């Protein structure tokens, strides 16, 4: 695994266009299975997780090519409904293919998705939703075998607003006969993007972005072109970096509403923020003040994925900030690495008390997971001296050209082999 080398303490300044959203392109790549023709996806980020999803589509028999930020999928030649274990292990969120494969072929065989760095990643809500639509599901030797002679529209109430379960339910419901109403659905912007893709394909879906999504099953078209929405978590990452390193950042190609909670936190921490259309401008003198409490919640609450980078930024704030993590059990694995840089963070269950220190000190650290790894980069940019971040494969799952983007802002950062 590669390393990043960062000489911190430099002011950052510049303009960045925000990459397409990983958590939008992945479910939409799955949805392309339902199009018995060509899907053209624009603004796709160049990420390891996207490569893994493309490999799964190719394994299923689809033609998949990439040209720059555009991905072309022809799902007419789909030949199998099974994803082998090693492809499932490449990407934790491969379960997002379940509903589409089942809807398209009447069967889906996937290995049980393992846990991940964030802790167990159960899929009980996914399976409950598919059973409601008429699927029979067996767990056999580590595999999930789903079958459905016929999917029938149903009322699906999710016990909790799971993003992936909402997406799998939508994808299977499009192929069901009759109407499906999903209640307590996740409201993330990526769900809206998935609905927009499916509606372009001829699906009758309404309600994405609210807690109730209604789907009327029916045939889909044979060609869709769709531009992937901007990545709100990557946007919050760059804003957190400039907030603590100090400087000025303009982000373009962004939907400010999608990062409202992160912008409010950064404003309360002392950053100057302006929102102008699809641009956000932040300036910071690097002298932040503590904010509390920051509680992670399903959208439109503060996103769990933006928590690590905001924690990193507040390690050098005046005062003590309190974070409460309500989504993932092992979200704080990156904290030990921040402590190696001199951060003062106390953990008590789901709570993290972050007491600002004057400066962090560069040292060697290792990414524990995708967003925790990004937090170490944020900390390294603000720290005195040199920081090396190892295990950066985690980071490259979700950030397209992080090093290039930060160098364009004046950061002294380079990727070591
Ligand atoms: C999506 O994961 C995102 N991934 C995650 O982003 C994000 O953190 C998460 O939503 C929450 O916003 C993608 O979209 C590819 P969930 P997902 O189902 O769908 C529990 C990143 O860094 N749960 O909403 O897996 C689960 O254990 C990644 O980009 C069940 O109990 O998240 C968790 O505690 C990390 N049973 C909570 O719900 C289920 O059947 C939220 O999970 C499903 C989930």
């Amino acid at each position: 695994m590669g390393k990043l080398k960062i000489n911190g303490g430099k002011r950052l300044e510049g303009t960045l266009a925000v990459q397409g959203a990983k958590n939008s392109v992945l479910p939409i790549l799955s949805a392309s299975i339902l199009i018995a023709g060509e899907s053209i996806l624009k603004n796709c980020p160049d990420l390891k997780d996207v490569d893994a999803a493309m490999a799964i589509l190719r394994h299923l028999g689809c033609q998949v090519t990439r040209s720059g930020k555009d991905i072309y999928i022809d799902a007419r030649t789909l030949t199998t409904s099974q994803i082998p274990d090693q492809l499932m292990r490449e990407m934790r969120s491969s379960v997002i293919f379940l509903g589409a494969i089942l809807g398209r072929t009447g069967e889906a065989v996937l290995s049980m998705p393992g846990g991940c760095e964030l802790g167990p990643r159960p899929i009980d809500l996914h399976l409950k939703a598919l059973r409601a639509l008429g699927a029979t599901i067996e767990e056999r030797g580590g595999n999930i075998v789903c079958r459905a002679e016929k999917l029938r529209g149903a009322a699906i109430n999710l016990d909790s607003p799971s993003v992936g379960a909402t997406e799998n339910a939508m994808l299977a419901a499009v192929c069901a006969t009759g109407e499906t109403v999903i209640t307590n659905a996740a409201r993330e912007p990526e769900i809206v993007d998935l609905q927009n893709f499916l509606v372009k394909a001829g699906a009758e879906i309404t309600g994405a972005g609210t807690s109730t999504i209604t789907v009327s099953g029916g045939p889909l078209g044979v060609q869709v072109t769709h531009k992937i929405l901007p990545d709100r978590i990557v946007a919050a990452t760059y804003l957190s970096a400039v907030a603590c390193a100090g400087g000025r950042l303009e982000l373009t190609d962004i939907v400010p509403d999608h990062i409202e909670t992160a912008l409010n936190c950064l404003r309360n921490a002392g950053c100057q923020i302006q929102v102008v259309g699809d641009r956000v401008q932040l300036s910071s003198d690097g002298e932040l003040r503590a904010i509390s409490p920051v509680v992670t919640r399903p959208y439109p609450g503060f996103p769990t994925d933006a928590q690590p980078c905001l924690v990193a930024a507040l390690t050098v704030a005046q005062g003590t900030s309190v974070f409460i993590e309500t989504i993932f059990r092992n979200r704080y694995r990156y904290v030990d690495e921040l402590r190696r840089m001199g951060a003062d963070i106390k953990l008590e269950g789901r709570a993290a008390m972050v007491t600002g220190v004057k400066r962090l000190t560069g040292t060697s650290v290792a990414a524990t997971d995708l967003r925790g790894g990004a937090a170490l980069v944020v900390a390294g940019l603000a720290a005195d001296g040199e920081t090396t971040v190892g295990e950066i494969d985690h980071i490259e799952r979700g950030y397209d050209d992080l090093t290039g983007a930060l160098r364009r802002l004046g950061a002294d950062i380079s990727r070591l082999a």
Side-chain angles (χ1 to χ4, degrees):
M1 285 217 196
K3 283 181 191 292
L4 295 177
K5 187 175 80 167
I6 305 165
N7 278 309
K10 294 183 175 10
R11 198 176 176 285
L12 303 177
E13 178 138 12
T15 298
L16 291 177
V18 177
Q19 72 182 59
K22 167 178 82 77
N23 294 346
S24 179
V25 69
L26 293 178
I28 289 176
L29 283 168
S30 173
S32 72
I33 291 172
L34 303 181
I35 311 299
E38 188 180 48
S39 302
I40 302 173
L41 306 183
K42 302 185 119 15
N43 194 34
C44 299
D46 189 1
L47 306 171
K48 292 190 187 307
D49 271 9
V50 173
D51 295 344
M54 289 165 65
I56 288 173
L57 287 174
R58 289 191 182 105
H59 171 81
L60 294 173
C62 302
Q63 312 293 319
V64 185
T65 54
R66 175 162 204 150
S67 167
K69 298 295 182 198
D70 299 345
I71 297 179
Y72 301 82
I73 306 110
D74 186 334
R76 261 172 297 203
T77 49
L78 187 127
T79 52
T80 175
S81 56
Q82 175 154 357
I83 302 181
D85 188 49
Q86 96 266 8
L87 285 180
M88 281 297 288
R89 288 183 180 281
E90 287 283 303
M91 180 178 71
R92 153 41 240 169
S93 37
S94 311
V95 70
I96 195 51
F97 284 92
L98 183 55
I101 297 173
L102 180 69
R104 171 76 188 268
T105 69
E107 180 190 58
V109 183
L110 283 65
S111 57
M112 278 301 276
C116 78
E117 306 82 12
L118 299 175
R121 299 294 291 276
I123 60 167
D124 55 306
L125 300 179
H126 299 242
L127 302 184
K128 185 178 167 194
L130 297 180
R131 283 194 181 99
L133 291 167
T136 57
I137 299 172
E138 290 173 70
E139 293 179 29
R140 197 189 302 155
N143 278 340
I144 311 163
V145 181
C146 293
R147 286 205 175 82
E149 285 304 309
K150 192 112 198 65
L151 289 169
R152 284 190 179 68
I156 298 173
N157 179 58
L158 295 176
D159 301 341
S160 65
S162 154
V163 172
T166 301
E167 291 164 344
N168 262 327
M170 287 165 74
L171 290 168
V174 162
C175 306
T177 305
E179 182 177 84
T180 295
V181 179
I182 307 166
T183 49
N184 199 24
R187 298 170 52 191
E188 274 68 3
E190 294 76 25
I191 306 256
V192 179
D193 213 27
L194 176 61
Q195 172 178 285
N196 292 342
F197 172 86
L198 292 168
V199 165
K200 281 182 190 170
E204 285 183 49
I205 306 185
T206 55
T210 75
S211 299
T212 301
I213 298 174
T214 304
V215 184
S216 296
L220 294 182
V222 292
Q223 204 285 333
V224 190
T225 299
H226 182 76
K227 182 179 178 192
I228 300 297
L229 100 165
D231 194 312
R232 56 197 171 96
I233 305 302
V234 169
T237 301
Y238 289 129
L239 291 164
S240 298
V242 178
C244 68
R248 290 171 58 79
L249 172 64
E250 179 174 65
L251 290 181
T252 63
D253 300 333
I254 184 172
V255 181
D257 285 357
H258 292 171
I259 56 168
E260 189 180 352
T261 53
L263 293 177
N264 290 340
C265 289
L266 291 166
R267 267 193 201 95
N268 294 341
C271 297
Q272 305 299 317
I273 292 175
Q274 269 208 316
V275 175
V276 182
D278 68 349
R279 292 166 176 264
V280 167
Q281 293 148 358
L282 174 143
S283 62
S284 164
D285 58 8
E287 304 294 319
L288 301 177
R289 53 178 180 261
I291 56 176
S292 282
V294 181
V295 186
T296 64
R297 294 268 187 234
Y299 194 88
F302 183 86
T304 176
D305 296 340
Q307 179 242 76
C309 290
L310 185 62
V311 165
L314 294 170
T315 57
V316 290
Q318 190 79 28
T320 298
S321 305
V322 177
F323 287 79
I324 310 287
E325 168 61 33
T326 68
I327 308 290
F328 289 118
R329 196 175 307 167
N330 299 352
R331 178 98 259 180
Y332 291 125
R333 293 175 70 233
Y334 65 95
V335 166
D336 274 343
E337 298 301 302
L338 286 178
R339 287 171 173 151
R340 289 169 51 80
M341 300 175 73
D344 177 357
I345 304 175
K346 287 180 185 54
L347 296 179
E348 276 173 31
R350 289 183 174 267
M353 276 63 73
V354 184
T355 300
V357 295
K358 193 91 192 83
R359 302 288 295 178
L360 294 176
T361 306
T363 185
S364 68
V365 290
T368 53
D369 57 79
L370 166 54
R371 307 303 175 186
L376 300 178
V377 174
V378 168
L381 292 166
D384 285 338
E386 182 178 290
T387 297
T388 53
V389 182
E391 309 289 320
I392 61 170
D393 273 22
H394 289 296
I395 302 174
E396 291 176 344
R397 282 187 41 222
Y399 290 86
D400 185 349
D401 191 22
L402 177 66
T403 308
L406 292 171
R407 288 165 75 94
R408 285 196 292 280
L409 298 182
D412 180 350
I413 180 170
S414 49
R415 191 184 191 288
L416 308 177

